[in-house]
Amino acid sequence: MEPAVAEAAKPIFERLAIIGVGLIGSSIARAARAQGAVRTIVATARSPETRRRVVELGLADQVVDSNAAAAAGADLVIVCVPVGACGAVAAEIAPKLKAGAVVSDVGSVKSAIIRDMAPHLPKQVHFVPAHPVAGTEQSGPDAGFAELFQNRWCILTPPPGTDARAVEKVRRFWEALGANVEIMDPAHHDLTLAITSHVPHLIAYNIVGTAAHLEQVTSSEVIKFSAGGFRDFTRIAASDPTMWRDVFLNNREAVLEMLGRFNEDLAALTRAIRMGDGKTLFDLFTRTRGIRRSIIEIGQETAEPDFGRRAHGAETEAPIPKPYASGD
Ligand code: NAP
């Protein structure tokens, strides 16, 4: 059973509807309840199996079997499904939304979500898209935990003209869950996340795919000797296939832009290796080591090695800070 509602100040929203109870949806449910950020939680998921599991875990006050039923009467609706499914969910819930309700999401891409969801939403509801930059390579309602958002960023990308009070309430909600909130233009969000999250995932998927193919065709011992950098890539490459397929399909331009730059830089490194240009390699590796140090200094990572064995699975979108980075 999940912890009881915290004795908190007045809830920020009365009724929270969570649509899609996977890693992110279930973490929001756990954190919102632990912090007393809402009074009531109603949840739904696509499959009866997940809905049953949400009941067993006691993640919501009410579990309903349709997205429309979840949205009816809610003050805050958070759509926590893969990016490619958000438009259809918005169309489904639109007729049931009450006037003044706030609709949000957690998608890892923002321009496409606004493109797909906004046209369906009635004028009298407030749309405040959000992206909590926190996660792990795990999926499903069992994978979530209340501390996931602690000291992580949550980026809000409200379209121009969004009601400032609605944005402020969503900010307070995420802050109550432990996140640091930043407001950003959606296109800027997509470019930034393309290089910090999306391209790194693509590199991981690619290198693990290449190694697996190599093992197959050359009988080399890639998996057995995976203790090097490869093992860290396999963790990232274990991330949810549906989620990541949708990220690449829906952030195409920004990812292609960043991949173009990446390929140019890779070509320069390839040349340095071929020409025996140690200075170029050494200078880059020194600069990148400095970047790692600065990330640790701003509290977005710990210096301890964890070898991918953190208690809740390691983060894919952002690291888990102390004290949550419990190694084994
Ligand atoms: P997840 O654990 O796989 O959960 C996804 C949930 O969405 C499940 O409840 C699933 O229902 C439901 N769902 C899947 N396809 C659907 C569809 N076509 N229509 C309606 N519902 C559907 O995924 P997650 O990691 O929580 O990710 C959810 C969202 O958060 C994604 O948009 C992702 O981009 C974003 N996000 C993820 C991370 C991360 O690191 N994982 C971080 C930040 C943001 P069933 O269980 O019944 O199939």
Side-chain angles (χ1 to χ4, degrees), residues 20-25 45-47 50 67 80-83 85 89 106-108 131-132 134-136 138-140 240 243 247 316-317:
V21 194
L23 169 73
I24 301 296
R46 177 178 53 170
S47 67
T50 301
N67 296 335
C80 306
V81 304
V83 169
V89 170
V106 293
S108 308
H131 175 203
T136 76
Q138 315 289 339
S139 307
D240 188 70
M243 167 184 160
V247 166
T316 57
E317 288 214 347

Side-chain angles (χ1 to χ4, degrees), residues 19-26 44-51 54 67 79-86 88-89 92 105-109 113 130-141 143 148-149 201 239-240 242-247 315-318:
I19 298 185
V21 194
L23 169 73
I24 301 296
S26 75
T44 191
R46 177 178 53 170
S47 67
E49 293 75 26
T50 301
R51 294 199 294 269
V54 175
N67 296 335
V79 178
C80 306
V81 304
V83 169
C86 287
V89 170
E92 234 178 294
D105 75 298
V106 293
S108 308
V109 173
I113 293 256
H131 175 203
V133 188
T136 76
E137 71 279 19
Q138 315 289 339
S139 307
L148 179 62
F149 310 111
H201 275 78
S239 301
D240 188 70
T242 306
M243 167 184 160
W244 284 97
R245 177 203 62 196
D246 283 8
V247 166
E315 72 289 343
T316 57
E317 288 214 347

Side-chain angles (χ1 to χ4, degrees), residues 40-209:
T40 309
I41 301 176
V42 54
T44 191
R46 177 178 53 170
S47 67
E49 293 75 26
T50 301
R51 294 199 294 269
R52 205 163 33 245
R53 191 65 190 135
V54 175
V55 172
E56 283 165 8
L57 291 167
L59 292 176
D61 300 290
Q62 218 184 324
V63 179
V64 295
D65 61 7
S66 77
N67 296 335
D75 300 288
L76 171 63
V77 180
I78 309 184
V79 178
C80 306
V81 304
V83 169
C86 287
V89 170
E92 234 178 294
I93 64 175
K96 297 288 177 187
L97 292 167
K98 76 175 187 189
V102 176
V103 175
S104 190
D105 75 298
V106 293
S108 308
V109 173
K110 297 283 37 116
S111 303
I113 293 256
I114 294 171
R115 176 199 68 201
D116 293 349
M117 289 184 72
H120 298 291
L121 300 175
K123 292 227 176 331
Q124 64 277 19
V125 310
H126 309 294
F127 183 34
V128 184
H131 175 203
V133 188
T136 76
E137 71 279 19
Q138 315 289 339
S139 307
D142 286 274
F145 51 102
E147 300 83 7
L148 179 62
F149 310 111
Q150 290 282 345
N151 200 26
R152 303 272 64 98
W153 287 105
C154 182
I155 301 171
L156 308 184
T157 62
T162 308
D163 181 67
R165 283 162 306 180
V167 177
E168 189 49 33
K169 274 184 91 174
V170 175
R171 172 197 284 278
R172 280 173 47 221
F173 174 81
W174 280 104
E175 284 175 350
L177 271 51
N180 304 314
V181 174
E182 180 121 333
I183 298 194
M184 219 182 253
D185 170 73
H188 185 66
H189 166 278
D190 291 351
L191 258 187
T192 305
L193 271 289
I195 192 63
T196 57
S197 171
H198 306 169
V199 169
H201 275 78
L202 197 70
I203 293 167
Y205 283 124
N206 190 49
I207 199 164
V208 174

Side-chain angles (χ1 to χ4, degrees), residues 220-239:
S220 64
E221 293 161 300
V222 175
I223 306 295
K224 183 172 168 190
F225 295 112
S226 64
F230 182 71
R231 186 167 59 188
D232 289 343
F233 282 116
T234 61
R235 179 179 63 69
I236 296 176
S239 301

